[in-house]
Amino acid sequence: MIILPNLTRIIVTEDDERFLQQFESCVLDPATFDHKAHLRVAWLYLHSGDLLSACEKTCRGIRRFAESNGAHDKFHRTITEFLVRAMDARIGDNNDDDFEQFLQRNPDLASDALGLIQRSYSRERLGSPKARAAWLAPDLTAVAA
């Protein structure tokens, strides 16, 4: 296991490293890349850099992964970045959690992400082509902390 340099309390396991390497190489089994795996990617990137870097790496990686698996129209930038930003807001001082502990403290990120998104965005804003292609801030509420 390694300890990430900028948040020395976070321990990334060999399994985390392997998961991220397979994701970045687009060789991860697409059947295993569910919503929780999306969150895991974001959590790992949030603990290896700043928020903007994590947003960019997460969005770029998920888009590339989707396209490499034939899902060229599936990626939605605003939804992905909203969830990364929500996760960042919730990490706060609890940055020594592992991923499973983080999800236990924030179960709605895994079980009700759509609800969080719908409470923050109007249907029109989220459904726009611009929201699919670029980050748009919420128009109903701020990023859920």
Side-chain angles (χ1 to χ4, degrees):
M1 74 180 73
I2 63 168
I3 299 177
L4 293 175
N6 66 331
L7 294 172
T8 56
R9 294 184 295 176
I10 292 298
I11 297 175
V12 177
T13 66
E14 288 180 22
D15 184 56
D16 289 328
E17 290 177 325
R18 185 173 36 260
F19 167 77
L20 202 52
Q21 181 182 33
Q22 290 176 347
F23 167 74
E24 290 174 344
S25 302
C26 296
V27 296
L28 187 68
D29 179 358
T32 66
F33 198 64
D34 58 7
H35 175 65
K36 186 175 173 182
H38 283 70
L39 296 176
R40 184 179 179 192
V41 165
W43 185 85
L44 289 166
Y45 286 143
L46 281 165
H47 286 89
S48 66
D50 61 44
L51 172 61
L52 294 180
S53 175
C55 287
E56 190 56 38
K57 287 180 178 181
T58 302
C59 289
R60 185 177 54 240
I62 290 174
R63 177 182 215 144
R64 183 178 59 242
F65 187 81
E67 289 176 352
S68 76
N69 286 285
H72 298 281
D73 61 345
K74 198 164 185 177
F75 178 75
H76 194 292
R77 174 71 187 225
T78 295
I79 289 173
T80 303
E81 189 162 333
F82 173 83
L83 290 171
V84 176
R85 288 172 179 269
M87 290 174 71
D88 181 66
R90 292 175 181 205
I91 287 172
D93 292 334
N94 294 305
N95 63 4
D96 57 346
D97 285 352
D98 67 22
F99 178 63
E100 291 301 325
Q101 289 169 324
F102 175 75
L103 286 184
Q104 287 173 4
R105 282 191 310 101
N106 299 281
D108 58 329
L109 288 170
S111 65
D112 191 30
L114 183 59
L116 288 172
I117 294 163
Q118 289 173 336
R119 288 188 291 279
S120 299
Y121 287 93
S122 65
R123 178 174 280 168
E124 295 76 24
R125 185 170 183 87
L126 196 61
S128 72
K130 189 172 181 181
R132 181 170 285 286
W135 163 247
L136 296 181
D139 60 340
L140 300 179
T141 64
V143 174

